[in-house]
Amino acid sequence: MTSPDTTDRPLDPGGPAPASDVVRLLTEALGAKVRTDEQTLARVRTDESGHATDAPPLALVEAETVEDVQAVCRICTATGTPIVSRGAGTGLAGGSIGGAGEVVLSTARMDRILEISPQNRLAVVQPGILNGALNAVLAEQGLWWPPDPASKDISSVGGNIATNAGGLLCAKYGVTRESVLALKVVLADGTLISVGHRTVKGVTGLDLCALMIGSEGVLGVIVECTLKLRPAITGPVPTIAAFFEDVEAAAHACSAVTAARLEPAIMELLDEQILAAVSAHTGVDLIGKGRSYVLIQTDGPGAEATAEQIRAVLEENGARVEFARDPADAARLVEVRRQVHPAMTRLGTALIEDVAVPRDRLSAMYRRIAEIAQRHDVVIPTNAHAGDGNLHPTFIFEGTEVPQQVWDAADELFQYAIELGGTLTGEHGVGLLKRRWLGDELGTDQLALQRRIKAAFDPDGLLNPGKVFAPVEAAPANQH
Amino acid sequence: MTSPDTTDRPLDPGGPAPASDVVRLLTEALGAKVRTDEQTLARVRTDESGHATDAPPLALVEAETVEDVQAVCRICTATGTPIVSRGAGTGLAGGSIGGAGEVVLSTARMDRILEISPQNRLAVVQPGILNGALNAVLAEQGLWWPPDPASKDISSVGGNIATNAGGLLCAKYGVTRESVLALKVVLADGTLISVGHRTVKGVTGLDLCALMIGSEGVLGVIVECTLKLRPAITGPVPTIAAFFEDVEAAAHACSAVTAARLEPAIMELLDEQILAAVSAHTGVDLIGKGRSYVLIQTDGPGAEATAEQIRAVLEENGARVEFARDPADAARLVEVRRQVHPAMTRLGTALIEDVAVPRDRLSAMYRRIAEIAQRHDVVIPTNAHAGDGNLHPTFIFEGTEVPQQVWDAADELFQYAIELGGTLTGEHGVGLLKRRWLGDELGTDQLALQRRIKAAFDPDGLLNPGKVFAPVEAAPANQH
């Protein structure tokens, strides 16, 4: 896979300034916050997807204040230099990686909590704070920010917002979009705007706060986040381990739980290959008990009664059910689920895909994945957030270059997810790695409209060029 | 107050077609769906705000299909004719009223339920179905669409979405935005696009589904809605009636409930003037028991325990609390709350405002409202959705013309809400009646950005011109 052809993006009429001028201007304005050492630049050429750009960026700027971000944007606009904003760098779609001629603007050091208000059930934070670190502080006050990506201990709140991060709890508690009240955003030219409200309700003008969420750095740089909190979940969290004959039976049972109007907090499905890999990686024997596994937790008021109802539905659908009554056992089972990603990377290079389908199509999707794997002679262990229909088919291969048959298989998989009324990315985002398929899902008319909206924010095309939207001219020749 | 100066909007280079041509073209394409009789046109010049345009529109088209909507948009684009989309006409901000030279495009007859899927916990409906009618059908299947504006029995789902309607339940169950998965939208030129997903998660490209919600007809015409459902609430719904010495004490107690991490389903605050009017209108004596009144319900699992905790907080904060144990009594108290709007209109002409403030500023806002009322010699009964900080200061006056001192008082009230970190409209929208203050809340830079986004959707400015955004040149001279 090639890196984005960064020379093809639109530039201001005078053309870009020489690279040395840009770095000089940045250094004059921001001093030691500008990093150009080889090791640093190598780090920000890649993310957790493993994909790297073909060449290092010009510089990494580690912003510490809103004014720093504005200064970078003004210099980059004046010199026609692309800006790649970046949080903790844990993305899985190449959305925040910097290449030739680009400046990577990191908000990782802007990691302070500015306010926690139990009265208004909100927190105001800088974007660089890690989700897990924030929630540790909130928990002391009986509060909780629900977004729950598997990466939460290492991913930033700003990154969670920029990708509209999902996670395990979304069917019950919503995606990140439902947990953000307001944002401060720096536009490409350095203008600072405030979108959204400190209030629960607010309908003044177009909802640009919602539009910013999941926009992957192509509209603006998020510099402050007002987060909608919930009361911390208290009381027991009954945990169910359910084993099935095969993955289709497991998927069918999960759909039956939803159809029965029951609301688990998490409902995670592991297929046989995932089960084997996770058992080997963690030393917790799951594969000995069944060929597919569903982990379910209920929480909040009525958690015990809901768990019993869910157990009944699972058993009617062929499950062998175990209850983890001990909180430590339960926590260990959830931790096992969180080890899926590390377990996959032990098997080889792992390209983690991220389709989502309507919940009643989960077993159809699993069936098709098995067919695709066989036909293309590839290995595709697949786990799913079964409560919301989000599957992670994971392609395992050797080396760093994605083999052609993997892309061919992925292409078929995406097309089928879209055909089922689903999406090619449930929670990871488009970034560089999925922009090729963007038009397949949005359609030509909507894609053109989305490009016009991008231009309304960023007329010079300097914010994260080549991410989400392929360069117009280069698109056919420059896929992935 | 004058109507929007519809002659000042941008038109296509050739200028608009003569009105007779537009009506002829519409009638050729759509036959009897095109209405030009005087009574019909008089009806669509106004909404529940009582505000009317200065002159009737050219025609009302009662679309029955998506193709009808596309045909209207194509004819209007070809002839440079403005399009005002309209649902049930229950808006409170003049957002869907048609004036001189405009075509009103109603989706009220597109009122079918296309699909209900318990497996996917979604419904697909046409925009014209009434919220209450839909929920009656859903209830039979143990499902529920949460948006709950006071108008729900007479307002349409499409209108709820176009205004991002709020209501009584938002603190616990979110605003309309949280209950919409996908939309089909016809753009000004007749192009049909699909935004959002049938899935819980989906992050492919910019979130145009979220952007459409609350866009008040200025971006596109909503023609199909995929709604996110919840399981119907079952079990008892404990209901608390709490009486206070004064409204500030009541507001303070409501803030204390939120600060205590408790989650009522509804928490409605009525001040003394509202209490007197509602008591007179409904015959339920509330004013005899206190000078301010808070109605609270809890629901779902743990409802009883939560209600007891809330009672304790209220009593600590000076309330005299009554529990309505009988479901009929409880339903009657909720119905009393829903009669606030009719009770107000009995007092005179009622201009219902709609500010929202951070929840801990509720008592500050009430204090300021009392000062403003006294200083401007106006009457401002005010109820509040206290769970989410949304207040409805209601100006009562004689006749149809809003007196200048009412606008002056409203202006002060809006400025103070914004100063507190709030908004000039929590749930009614900007429409015509609040566009004057849009820039006060958004700021100049964001307002310019919002206009560019509007232009990206609707380059000829034909969709609901003069609503939300004032005509650019005419703005200073053409307020309200």
Side-chain angles (χ1 to χ4, degrees):
Chain A
M1 60 194 152
T2 56
S3 71
D5 186 347
T6 51
T7 60
D8 280 349
R9 87 181 59 81
L11 290 170
D12 64 347
S20 58
D21 284 4
V22 177
V23 174
R24 180 178 52 76
L25 290 167
L26 288 171
T27 306
E28 283 172 10
L30 294 142
K33 297 169 190 169
V34 182
R35 306 275 301 272
T36 57
D37 62 284
E38 198 175 334
Q39 198 178 351
T40 297
L41 299 187
R43 179 170 60 80
V44 298
R45 280 177 59 191
T46 189
D47 65 8
E48 284 288 316
S49 73
H51 178 75
T53 59
D54 277 354
L58 294 177
L60 167 72
V61 183
E62 297 183 308
E64 292 175 12
T65 65
V66 174
E67 292 72 24
D68 287 349
V69 172
Q70 291 181 286
V72 172
C73 290
R74 288 191 191 112
I75 290 168
C76 287
T77 288
T79 57
T81 309
I83 303 160
V84 178
S85 55
R86 185 176 172 103
T90 58
L92 289 165
S96 65
I97 63 180
E102 300 183 323
V103 168
V104 177
L105 171 53
S106 170
T107 51
R109 293 200 173 180
M110 296 171 65
D111 63 354
R112 285 187 300 131
I113 297 173
L114 304 175
E115 178 189 357
I116 296 174
S117 169
Q119 290 78 10
N120 294 304
R121 212 166 279 173
L122 62 79
V124 183
V125 305
Q126 293 184 318
I129 189 168
L130 300 183
N131 177 322
L134 170 63
N135 269 306
V137 175
L138 293 175
E140 293 168 11
Q141 302 201 27
L143 294 167
W144 176 46
W145 191 55
D148 178 59
S151 63
K152 65 182 179 179
D153 289 336
I154 54 169
S155 62
S156 69
V157 167
N160 293 169
I161 294 171
T163 56
N164 191 17
L168 280 58
L169 296 164
C170 298
K172 183 165 182 181
Y173 294 106
V175 292
T176 298
R177 194 188 67 178
E178 274 81 84
S179 294
V180 179
L181 291 171
L183 296 170
K184 288 188 180 172
V185 175
V186 174
L187 302 179
D189 65 2
T191 303
L192 178 67
I193 63 171
S194 294
V195 297
H197 303 91
R198 266 177 81 88
T199 50
V200 176
K201 293 171 173 171
V203 290
T204 306
L206 303 174
D207 190 348
L208 300 196
C209 183
L211 184 62
M212 282 301 304
I213 298 167
S215 63
E216 300 192 49
V218 306
L219 301 182
V221 183
I222 295 167
V223 294
E224 191 181 293
C225 317
T226 301
L227 307 176
K228 184 176 175 179
L229 307 179
R230 283 180 179 264
I233 302 294
T234 55
V237 180
T239 300
I240 292 172
F243 296 89
F244 293 85
E245 279 301 297
D246 59 42
V247 72
E248 285 186 48
H252 185 79
C254 291
S255 292
V257 169
T258 301
R261 284 78 168 159
L262 297 168
E263 288 205 298
I266 71 173
M267 184 157 66
E268 294 290 310
L269 193 163
L270 276 57
D271 75 0
E272 187 172 2
Q273 294 171 86
I274 297 270
L275 217 48
V278 171
S279 294
H281 178 64
T282 63
V284 178
D285 179 30
L286 297 169
I287 189 68
K289 298 183 175 179
R291 282 198 299 233
S292 185
Y293 171 68
V294 177
L295 172 70
I296 290 178
Q297 287 194 312
T298 59
D299 65 10
E304 290 280 4
T306 304
E308 285 299 341
Q309 290 171 290
I310 289 172
R311 174 220 281 265
V313 173
L314 295 172
E315 287 179 341
E316 278 163 30
N317 283 273
R320 197 159 55 72
V321 172
E322 295 176 9
F323 255 92
R325 298 275 175 199
D326 178 63
D329 284 350
R332 198 163 45 93
L333 286 173
V334 175
E335 183 52 31
V336 163
R337 162 59 193 86
R338 290 194 188 275
Q339 291 303 315
V340 167
H341 178 45
M344 291 296 100
T345 58
R346 263 180 60 160
L347 298 181
T349 307
L351 178 71
I352 304 170
E353 287 310 338
D354 177 41
V355 296
V357 296
R359 286 170 278 193
D360 62 346
R361 303 303 174 93
L362 201 55
S363 60
M365 192 74 216
Y366 265 108
R367 196 159 50 242
R368 183 65 66 96
I369 290 168
E371 288 168 22
I372 291 171
Q374 188 166 34
R375 187 149 26 82
H376 291 276
D377 191 23
V378 291
V379 180
I380 321 179
T382 300
N383 65 301
H385 307 301
D388 59 44
N390 183 198
L391 302 96
H392 293 306
T394 302
F395 295 90
I396 307 291
F397 53 92
E398 297 300 314
T400 58
E401 194 73 12
V402 181
Q404 188 56 43
Q405 75 260 40
V406 167
W407 282 128
D408 293 345
D411 180 69
E412 282 190 34
L413 198 149
F414 296 156
Q415 301 298 345
Y416 189 62
I418 294 169
E419 192 183 312
L420 290 177
T423 173
L424 64 95
T425 176
E427 57 185 14
H428 294 168
V430 174
L432 271 182
L433 297 181
K434 281 187 208 121
R435 70 182 195 193
R436 169 185 179 177
W437 292 277
L438 188 67
D440 293 340
E441 184 167 329
L442 300 184
T444 310
D445 291 324
Q446 189 186 166
L447 181 56
L449 173 59
Q450 295 219 350
R451 285 183 184 278
R452 294 198 298 275
I453 295 167
K454 154 77 170 164
F457 277 82
D458 176 24
D460 297 332
L462 295 179
L463 290 174
N464 222 1
K467 312 290 171 44
V468 184
F469 304 107
V472 178
E473 295 82 2
N478 183 33
Q479 293 177 340
H480 319 309
Chain B
M1 64 195 150
T2 57
S3 71
D5 186 348
T6 51
T7 61
D8 279 352
R9 86 181 62 81
L11 291 170
D12 65 345
S20 57
D21 285 4
V22 176
V23 175
R24 180 178 53 75
L25 289 167
L26 288 171
T27 307
E28 283 172 10
L30 293 142
K33 297 169 191 169
V34 182
R35 305 277 300 272
T36 56
D37 62 284
E38 199 175 332
Q39 198 177 352
T40 296
L41 298 187
R43 179 169 61 80
V44 298
R45 280 177 60 192
T46 188
D47 65 8
E48 285 288 317
S49 73
H51 179 75
T53 59
D54 277 353
L58 295 177
L60 167 71
V61 183
E62 296 182 309
E64 292 176 10
T65 65
V66 173
E67 292 72 22
D68 287 349
V69 172
Q70 291 181 287
V72 172
C73 289
R74 288 192 192 110
I75 290 168
C76 287
T77 287
T79 56
T81 309
I83 303 159
V84 177
S85 54
R86 183 176 172 105
T90 58
L92 290 165
S96 65
I97 63 179
E102 301 183 323
V103 168
V104 177
L105 171 53
S106 170
T107 51
R109 292 199 174 182
M110 296 172 65
D111 63 354
R112 285 187 301 131
I113 296 173
L114 304 175
E115 178 189 356
I116 296 174
S117 169
Q119 291 78 9
N120 294 306
R121 210 165 281 174
L122 62 79
V124 183
V125 304
Q126 293 184 319
I129 189 168
L130 300 184
N131 178 323
L134 170 64
N135 270 306
V137 175
L138 293 175
E140 292 169 11
Q141 302 202 26
L143 294 166
W144 174 47
W145 191 54
D148 177 59
S151 63
K152 65 182 179 179
D153 289 335
I154 54 167
S155 63
S156 70
V157 167
N160 293 168
I161 293 171
T163 55
N164 191 17
L168 279 59
L169 296 164
C170 298
K172 184 165 181 181
Y173 293 105
V175 292
T176 298
R177 194 188 68 178
E178 273 82 83
S179 293
V180 178
L181 291 170
L183 296 170
K184 288 188 181 172
V185 175
V186 174
L187 302 180
D189 65 1
T191 303
L192 177 68
I193 61 171
S194 295
V195 297
H197 304 90
R198 265 178 82 86
T199 50
V200 176
K201 293 171 174 171
V203 290
T204 305
L206 303 174
D207 190 348
L208 300 196
C209 182
L211 184 63
M212 281 303 302
I213 299 167
S215 63
E216 300 192 50
V218 306
L219 301 182
V221 184
I222 295 167
V223 294
E224 190 181 292
C225 317
T226 301
L227 308 177
K228 185 177 175 179
L229 307 180
R230 282 179 180 265
I233 302 295
T234 55
V237 180
T239 300
I240 292 172
F243 296 90
F244 292 86
E245 279 301 297
D246 59 42
V247 71
E248 284 186 47
H252 186 78
C254 291
S255 292
V257 169
T258 302
R261 284 79 168 159
L262 297 168
E263 289 205 298
I266 70 173
M267 184 157 66
E268 294 290 310
L269 193 163
L270 276 56
D271 75 0
E272 186 172 2
Q273 294 171 86
I274 297 270
L275 216 49
V278 170
S279 294
H281 177 64
T282 63
V284 178
D285 179 30
L286 297 169
I287 189 66
K289 299 183 175 179
R291 283 199 299 233
S292 183
Y293 170 68
V294 177
L295 172 71
I296 291 179
Q297 288 194 313
T298 60
D299 66 10
E304 290 280 3
T306 304
E308 286 298 342
Q309 291 173 291
I310 289 172
R311 174 219 281 264
V313 173
L314 295 173
E315 289 180 340
E316 277 164 29
N317 283 274
R320 198 160 53 75
V321 171
E322 295 175 9
F323 254 92
R325 297 274 175 201
D326 178 62
D329 285 349
R332 199 164 44 92
L333 286 174
V334 175
E335 183 53 32
V336 163
R337 161 61 193 85
R338 291 195 188 275
Q339 292 302 317
V340 167
H341 178 42
M344 290 295 101
T345 57
R346 265 181 57 160
L347 298 182
T349 307
L351 178 71
I352 304 171
E353 287 308 337
D354 176 42
V355 295
V357 297
R359 287 171 275 194
D360 62 346
R361 303 304 174 92
L362 201 55
S363 59
M365 192 73 215
Y366 265 109
R367 195 158 52 240
R368 183 66 66 97
I369 290 168
E371 288 168 20
I372 291 171
Q374 187 165 36
R375 188 149 26 81
H376 291 276
D377 191 23
V378 292
V379 179
I380 321 179
T382 300
N383 65 301
H385 307 302
D388 58 45
N390 183 198
L391 301 96
H392 293 306
T394 302
F395 295 91
I396 307 291
F397 53 91
E398 298 299 315
T400 58
E401 193 74 11
V402 181
Q404 187 56 44
Q405 77 260 41
V406 166
W407 283 128
D408 293 345
D411 180 69
E412 281 190 35
L413 197 149
F414 296 156
Q415 300 298 344
Y416 189 61
I418 294 169
E419 192 183 310
L420 289 177
T423 174
L424 64 96
T425 175
E427 58 185 15
H428 294 169
V430 174
L432 272 182
L433 297 181
K434 282 187 208 121
R435 70 183 194 194
R436 170 186 179 179
W437 292 278
L438 188 67
D440 293 341
E441 184 167 330
L442 300 183
T444 309
D445 292 324
Q446 190 188 165
L447 181 55
L449 174 59
Q450 295 219 350
R451 286 184 184 276
R452 294 197 298 275
I453 294 167
K454 154 77 169 162
F457 277 82
D458 175 25
D460 297 332
L462 296 178
L463 290 174
N464 222 1
K467 311 290 169 47
V468 184
F469 304 107
V472 177
E473 295 83 2
N478 183 33
Q479 292 177 341
H480 317 310

